[in-house]
Amino acid sequence: KKKRDRVANGPRSNIPKFYCDYCDTYLTHDSPSVRKTHCNGRKHKENVKDYYQKWMEEQAQSLIDKTTAAFQQGKITPAPFSAPPPAGAMIPLPPSLLGLPLPGMKPAPHMGGPLMMPMMGPPPPGMM
């Protein structure tokens, strides 16, 4: 054995060590206070964030690859209205953008305010 190996396997090798997968490192001691200090550290938190961000990107790419393959095999049809309108086609503006009140809508009491919907429960997702 080399001298370096003997030092690593010497009398101090019985001390339990904690391995952090995110940081790819061993902590010198395995005690709750050492783990807590390590896990609250800036570098550890950055490594955890990077790990999960990379994992999410891999999951998204996998989903994109599977969807593309299914589309190319004809298992998925294009969604309606997914294609852009033909060149020169006019898309009509909704009446609310033209300043016209929609049926059931009243202008806000203050001057020039936005149009208000009558209270019929919570607004649908994306309205607020």
Side-chain angles (χ1 to χ4, degrees), residues 31-50:
S31 69
S33 64
V34 170
R35 279 194 198 192
K36 185 175 180 182
T37 301
H38 172 77
C39 292
N40 286 329
R42 178 189 54 82
K43 231 177 153 164
H44 173 78
K45 289 179 179 180
E46 202 173 282
N47 289 337
V48 171
K49 184 185 119 206
D50 291 345

Side-chain angles (χ1 to χ4, degrees), residues 106-114 116:
K106 299 175 186 169
H110 52 84
M111 294 179 54
M116 301 297 287

Side-chain angles (χ1 to χ4, degrees), residues 35-89:
R35 279 194 198 192
K36 185 175 180 182
T37 301
H38 172 77
C39 292
N40 286 329
R42 178 189 54 82
K43 231 177 153 164
H44 173 78
K45 289 179 179 180
E46 202 173 282
N47 289 337
V48 171
K49 184 185 119 206
D50 291 345
Y51 174 85
Y52 283 105
Q53 187 168 353
K54 183 179 177 189
W55 182 82
M56 289 295 291
E57 289 170 2
E58 289 170 358
Q59 295 300 308
Q61 189 61 52
S62 173
L63 183 61
I64 291 167
D65 294 343
K66 289 176 184 176
T67 305
T68 302
F71 179 77
Q72 289 173 343
Q73 294 171 2
K75 295 178 182 177
I76 300 175
T77 58
F81 309 112
S82 63

